[in-house]
Amino acid sequence: MTESARTPRAASVGQAVSPEATFTARRVQHRRRRRIRRLAWGIPLWILALLFLLPFAWMISTSLKPDSEAFLIPMQWIPDQARWENYREVLFGEASILPAFLNSVLVAVVRVLGELATATLAGYAFAKLRFPGRNKIFIAYLATSLIPAQLLLVPRFVYFQQLGLYDTLWALILPGMFTVLGTFLMRQYFIAQPDEFAEAARLDGAREFQIFFRIYLPNAIPMISALAILTFVWSWNDYETPLVFISDPEHFTLPLGLTNFVDETGAMAPALSMAAAVISIIPILLVFLIFQRRFIRAMTESALK
């Protein structure tokens, strides 16, 4: 090969690396490190997620077995023959959970609507309206959360009995429509919103309710969604309050209805109980899946502010 033929190759070998190539190489390395970092964090999180899901997997597996196989050791995760009649018995049998299910839906929906109405209005008033003793009233209201809820059961029982609300669903709905936490969350959210919005609206002749409903309330949708999820879950899982204020089986909510599944000896029927438990968690999953993006957005905005 001649000298002239070897010169271009030598020149290309000795040529300096361009800035674009260096930037591309660093970008590739950065992406590779990010993937390794995600993998290092992802594997432990997936393991933890599987550990948290094990009780739910056991619940679903037990709901498809006869009672005699519920507590066998070693456990059989996949039954030889799934007993779907357990769900049919739970839904349409003598101890059907459908009435209790409907009562829980009614109580939860009304409580959520009432909580959102009172919390948003009170939170806006404590955050944006100026009136004498505003901060002192809010601190006094906040201090009531220090009282254990169990101490209020007896006075509330006597009060509702005198009003004729004992053994009615209103005894479960009314206390859940006014909560300190809901007012506190909405107040903190409205405080973080600029006051200039309200001042500009007042200059244009807007009234206070118009400012609240047209400016601040639409911006608070993420926090309202988060509060709706929390209120729904608290209402749906509430066992103590119905146990004290409800005695008629027709007014039982779902947590009380789950205690009706017993065998001929009076002991808990594990298969039917787990089938009812599987049905009871479906509404919570649906609510969270529908509002999860707004819930995460609200928690993120609250953390940043």
Side-chain angles (χ1 to χ4, degrees):
M1 184 179 294
T2 63
E3 187 66 23
S4 60
R6 288 196 299 265
T7 302
R9 183 177 180 182
S12 63
V13 173
Q15 187 179 2
V17 180
S18 63
E20 292 80 5
T22 303
F23 176 77
T24 303
R26 290 180 179 176
R27 191 173 182 180
V28 171
Q29 292 179 357
H30 180 68
R31 288 180 178 177
R32 192 175 301 168
R33 290 174 183 173
R34 286 181 60 184
R35 291 176 183 175
I36 295 175
R37 199 177 298 119
R38 287 180 180 179
L39 187 63
W41 279 102
I43 293 177
L45 291 177
W46 274 106
I47 294 175
L48 288 176
L50 291 176
L51 291 177
F52 279 109
L53 289 175
L54 279 179
F56 296 98
W58 179 85
M59 180 174 63
I60 296 173
S61 175
T62 305
S63 68
L64 297 173
K65 296 177 180 178
D67 292 339
S68 58
E69 299 179 5
F71 301 110
L72 290 180
I73 299 177
M75 178 182 173
Q76 184 179 4
W77 289 95
I78 301 177
D80 294 332
Q81 186 176 1
R83 289 176 56 91
W84 296 104
E85 55 268 25
N86 290 340
Y87 287 91
R88 186 164 53 250
E89 175 67 22
V90 165
L91 291 173
F92 308 108
E94 295 181 0
S96 173
I97 65 169
L98 286 180
F101 187 91
L102 295 177
N103 288 337
S104 289
V105 170
L106 177 62
V107 171
V109 170
V110 178
R111 281 184 62 171
V112 167
L113 295 177
E115 168 73 353
L116 295 182
T118 59
T120 52
L121 290 171
Y124 178 79
F126 283 123
K128 297 299 181 183
L129 300 184
R130 300 180 183 273
F131 53 89
R134 181 186 66 174
N135 294 333
K136 294 180 180 179
I137 295 174
F138 178 72
I139 292 175
Y141 183 57
L142 198 63
T144 60
S145 62
L146 300 177
I147 304 175
Q150 290 76 14
L151 293 180
L152 301 176
L153 289 177
V154 174
R156 192 184 300 169
F157 178 88
V158 175
Y159 186 65
F160 283 157
Q161 198 171 33
Q162 292 177 351
L163 292 177
L165 298 178
Y166 173 73
D167 202 14
T168 66
L169 296 181
W170 286 109
L172 310 179
I173 294 173
L174 291 177
M177 294 175 63
F178 311 90
T179 64
V180 176
L181 180 61
T183 303
F184 174 78
L185 291 177
M186 297 309 304
R187 175 185 179 271
Q188 297 305 111
Y189 190 87
F190 286 129
I191 283 180
Q193 302 301 311
D195 295 333
E196 288 77 8
F197 295 160
E199 295 175 359
R202 292 190 184 99
L203 292 177
D204 291 337
R207 298 181 179 180
E208 206 62 45
F209 273 101
Q210 292 176 327
I211 297 173
F212 170 70
F213 283 107
R214 295 185 180 182
I215 298 177
Y216 287 103
L217 191 62
N219 293 331
I221 293 300
M223 181 57 70
I224 291 174
S225 300
L227 182 59
I229 292 176
L230 295 176
T231 305
F232 184 88
V233 172
W234 292 333
S235 175
W236 193 262
N237 295 330
D238 189 10
Y239 175 76
E240 183 180 63
T241 306
L243 184 65
V244 174
F245 295 105
I246 301 297
S247 60
D248 188 353
E250 293 183 358
H251 298 155
F252 277 5
T253 55
L254 199 55
L256 292 181
L258 295 178
T259 62
N260 292 333
F261 298 101
V262 295
D263 56 18
E264 59 276 2
T265 64
M268 180 190 71
L272 297 180
S273 298
M274 292 302 103
V278 171
I279 296 173
S280 68
I281 66 174
I282 292 177
I284 296 179
L285 292 177
L286 292 177
V287 169
F288 182 76
L289 290 176
I290 293 173
F291 296 101
Q292 62 173 334
R293 292 185 179 180
R294 293 177 178 176
F295 181 82
I296 296 172
R297 178 183 170 188
M299 296 298 102
T300 304
E301 291 181 355
S302 299
L304 293 177
K305 294 175 182 179

